[in-house]
Amino acid sequence: MADEKKTILIIEDEPLNMRLTVDLLEINGFNTLSCCDGIAALETLKKTIPDLILLDINMPKMNGYEVHENIRKDSRLDRVKVLALSASVMKEDEERIRKAGFNDFIPKPIDTKGLVKKIREYLSI
Amino acid sequence: MSRDELDIQYRDIVENANSIILRMDMNGDVTYFNRFAQNFFGYRQEEILGKNVVGTIVAPTDSSGRDLKAMIDDMALHPSSYVSNENENVMKNGRRAWIAWTNKSILDEDGRVREILCIGNDITRLKEAEEEIIKAKEAAESANKAKSSFLANMSHELRTPLNAIIGFSELMKDDSVGPLTDKQKEYLDYVWESGKHLLSLINDILDLSKVEAGKMELELSEFDLKELLKKSFIFIQEKAVKHGIALSADIKEGIGTVKADQRKVKQVIFNLLSNAVKFTPDGGKIGITAEKTGKGEILVCVSDTGIGIEAKDSGRVFSEFEQIDSEYSRKYAGTGLGMPLSKKFVELHGGKMWFESEKGKGTHFYFTLPLNVG
């Protein structure tokens, strides 16, 4: 069903940044699921498989790299693209993100239109 | 000169030389100690002859804990490994000194090492200076590390609230959360632009600190410079149309693929064009030209019919955080880092950047790029 709403899981600890991404995606016709830390996100992923995941890197409890590693261990999530969102944009950060195997890296502050475009590209819609 | 006279002369030389000269046997017992050594270490001849060096002029361990007794033992076993050697020594009064020694084995008729002749010079001051330099270097390195990590943290911490400022402004600007009045739109534009401005400041500061730390590396790739130049007007199109500024490009034949850092070249052109549009009054002209020089370089020129730069201010154009006149700084917001960064980016490529200007008539900014960088 091509016109069914796609679901994006947003994992982000900073409430305002979370609100921004959620509202941006809802306005643009996506369903959103939000988790404020990695552990909650992995719990959610046991029950649901989203179409795409936006994952913040600097988070307490479990950072984005660890969350990503766990996601990639789960074969049910093989097809789910994971985009890293981070305000750490130094070259070393970007290299680490690429090496970790994220599908993409979105630097913060996000370009709202650019992010929506990118998500649509990854979901081929 | 008789044999005896010669002996006396040699003895005199050795006794009076301005160096520590001593001999010790294979146990480390002193068999000769010249006058300079006596004065230097504070031992009279009869106090030191027959005594072991360890416990007299050599402390069992030095200030850093190095085992000097083991060193002396090893020296007797492997004299050839100690031809030259630096170690800490101690005087009779307990004061320590660093001595640079040259050691020579003295053989008996059967070719066995019987004694070692040691000649030493006081290098305490040199050592102290060396230690100070090492300390200063370590302090500088740690300060530099602290600066880098501070900048990385600052960048991260500032980006997080900026994400909300810029992001929510963008959501509202599109009327996606309901229509806004003209005034609200205008104010929102200010918020958004200020957010963007702050972001470019952060980026420029990070770049500049990298350049200054010598850590800015070029990411070379091959790309079409002609295309990049042609498309560069996109950066300023909107403002140019708004202010009736005519844009013209003249890219000469032969400008094509170059090997350079595309992102940095783009940034240089963006900086030049946004400066040009900022300082050009309504109805003016902005041009971009590029041609090959005879020296294996490409010469790019961005010209405008703007306010120009007075001769007295020309030295400040490439200085950090400088905008020529405070009146202009208010009118023409900028980070003040764009030009110095652009110049540094060009220089990293092995090129040059300069300008020609006449107050009130306009400015020509030039830069060269070698055809093959790296």
Side-chain angles (χ1 to χ4, degrees):
Chain A
M1 279 186 272
D3 57 353
E4 196 180 309
K5 273 191 173 184
K6 300 282 187 187
T7 301
I8 315 290
L9 170 64
I10 305 156
I11 310 164
E12 161 78 71
D13 66 304
E14 212 281 318
L16 269 183
N17 286 342
M18 169 68 93
R19 178 78 191 274
L20 172 65
T21 316
V22 169
D23 286 9
L24 170 70
L25 296 183
E26 300 258 330
I27 287 167
N28 284 282
F30 295 97
N31 277 329
T32 59
L33 285 170
S34 40
C35 295
C36 62
D37 67 65
I39 292 161
L42 293 177
E43 277 305 309
T44 303
L45 284 168
K46 281 182 191 164
K47 292 170 270 173
T48 349
I49 298 179
D51 295 292
L52 186 139
I53 298 171
L54 294 178
L55 175 52
D56 184 31
I57 295 295
N58 296 73
M59 290 188 295
K61 290 190 197 173
M62 189 187 268
N63 70 32
Y65 296 109
E66 292 171 82
V67 179
H68 180 252
E69 242 176 70
N70 278 292
I71 291 172
R72 283 301 163 233
K73 275 185 207 152
D74 189 340
S75 59
R76 294 176 309 126
L77 303 171
D78 277 355
R79 289 157 151 239
V80 182
K81 301 271 195 278
V82 182
L83 314 190
L85 251 80
S86 181
S88 297
V89 299
M90 309 300 272
K91 210 174 148 195
E92 307 84 69
D93 302 308
E94 201 177 331
E95 269 167 17
R96 193 171 163 201
I97 285 168
R98 301 261 176 228
K99 264 194 197 141
F102 284 87
N103 292 99
D104 213 328
F105 167 58
I106 317 286
K108 285 185 199 168
I110 55 168
D111 163 14
T112 49
K113 287 199 180 93
L115 178 61
V116 171
K117 195 173 157 231
K118 209 158 226 178
I119 290 173
R120 291 209 168 110
E121 275 167 21
Y122 276 111
L123 296 175
S124 314
I125 50 175
Chain B
M1 215 183 280
S2 74
R3 178 74 199 250
D4 282 352
E5 281 172 325
L6 263 178
D7 274 357
I8 290 167
Q9 198 182 354
Y10 282 142
R11 175 168 293 273
D12 194 55
I13 291 170
V14 174
E15 278 296 318
N16 290 307
N18 257 341
S19 291
I20 301 159
I21 301 177
L22 65 86
R23 282 165 72 148
M24 61 180 183
D25 64 18
M26 303 317 286
N27 293 323
D29 292 341
V30 178
T31 61
Y32 176 78
F33 208 66
N34 80 338
R35 205 175 297 147
F36 188 87
Q38 292 166 37
N39 290 333
F40 184 82
F41 287 109
Y43 285 102
R44 287 192 315 271
Q45 182 142 273
E46 58 273 25
E47 285 178 305
I48 189 104
L49 289 184
K51 295 268 173 61
N52 201 279
V53 289
V54 178
T56 53
I57 62 166
V58 177
T61 54
D62 78 0
S63 325
S64 69
R66 182 180 171 202
D67 189 343
L68 295 180
K69 186 179 180 319
M71 184 197 79
I72 297 290
D73 292 344
D74 192 51
M75 203 165 163
L77 292 171
H78 310 103
S80 60
S81 309
Y82 292 88
V83 173
S84 66
N85 167 45
E86 287 176 6
N87 61 264
E88 195 184 74
N89 284 85
V90 62
M91 299 168 195
K92 195 181 173 191
N93 65 12
R95 211 159 67 78
R96 307 233 167 185
W98 271 89
I99 311 290
W101 295 100
T102 57
N103 304 307
K104 189 177 183 306
S105 308
I106 296 168
L107 309 179
D108 63 13
E109 297 90 30
D110 302 327
R112 282 178 306 200
V113 182
R114 281 184 65 120
E115 288 196 342
I116 300 170
L117 169 67
C118 313
I119 301 179
N121 281 299
D122 184 6
I123 55 160
T124 310
R125 279 207 188 147
L126 265 174
K127 270 282 171 195
E128 281 169 358
E130 193 182 297
E131 266 166 37
E132 259 166 48
I133 290 169
I134 291 169
K135 266 188 210 155
K137 189 170 165 263
E138 281 169 357
E141 276 166 0
S142 105
N144 214 10
K145 246 187 206 162
K147 182 181 145 195
S148 299
S149 100
F150 168 77
L151 281 170
N153 285 333
M154 178 209 71
S155 155
H156 178 266
E157 292 308 315
L158 291 174
R159 269 167 219 276
T160 305
L162 269 180
N163 192 45
I165 294 171
I166 296 173
F168 283 115
S169 308
E170 284 179 6
L171 283 192
M172 281 175 84
K173 263 157 67 98
D174 296 345
D175 281 344
S176 49
V177 285
L180 298 174
T181 66
D182 285 349
K183 197 137 226 176
Q184 284 167 340
K185 264 191 187 151
E186 186 195 344
Y187 289 179
L188 196 56
D189 272 338
Y190 295 149
V191 173
W192 183 80
E193 272 170 25
S194 302
K196 283 287 203 186
H197 179 71
L198 202 48
L199 181 61
S200 55
L201 251 178
I202 296 167
N203 289 334
D204 284 357
I205 289 171
L206 286 180
D207 278 351
L208 204 64
S209 75
K210 261 188 235 159
V211 171
E212 276 171 1
K215 280 190 184 156
M216 181 62 88
E217 288 164 16
L218 293 179
E219 287 166 42
L220 297 176
S221 65
E222 288 191 354
F223 62 92
D224 191 343
L225 182 65
K226 190 173 188 167
E227 276 303 299
L228 194 153
L229 291 171
K230 273 187 178 167
K231 286 184 182 160
S232 61
F233 282 142
I234 282 178
F235 300 136
I236 55 164
Q237 199 99 47
E238 204 183 314
K239 270 193 185 153
V241 169
K242 197 169 151 193
H243 294 279
I245 295 169
L247 304 175
S248 68
D250 180 14
I251 317 294
K252 291 275 189 291
E253 278 308 306
I255 306 283
T257 307
V258 293
K259 194 178 170 196
D261 186 322
Q262 189 171 6
R263 189 185 72 86
K264 293 191 180 72
V265 172
K266 220 176 185 172
Q267 205 172 325
V268 170
I269 293 166
F270 169 76
N271 276 330
L272 291 177
L273 286 176
S274 56
N275 262 356
V277 82
K278 213 181 286 171
F279 295 107
T280 300
D282 290 10
K285 284 182 206 155
I286 291 173
I288 189 161
T289 65
E291 61 189 281
K292 269 188 185 173
T293 70
K295 298 180 222 153
E297 294 171 325
I298 295 167
L299 174 70
V300 181
C301 173
V302 174
S303 60
D304 63 58
T305 58
I307 57 176
I309 299 157
E310 264 186 288
K312 70 172 171 68
D313 293 323
S314 59
R316 291 161 60 199
V317 171
F318 295 116
S319 316
E320 285 120 39
F321 287 114
E322 288 269 16
Q323 262 194 341
I324 301 310
D325 196 301
S326 59
E327 177 199 335
Y328 297 144
S329 340
R330 277 193 300 277
K331 199 167 158 196
Y332 308 103
T335 65
L337 292 171
M339 291 317 292
L341 254 184
S342 296
K343 187 165 189 268
K344 279 176 176 151
F345 283 172
V346 167
E347 286 167 353
L348 272 175
H349 281 88
K352 285 195 190 107
M353 184 178 245
W354 70 98
F355 67 91
E356 288 161 7
S357 183
E358 203 175 323
K359 178 96 179 154
K361 293 225 169 138
T363 308
H364 286 63
F365 269 97
Y366 299 91
F367 71 90
T368 58
L369 267 187
L371 282 168
N372 255 312
V373 180

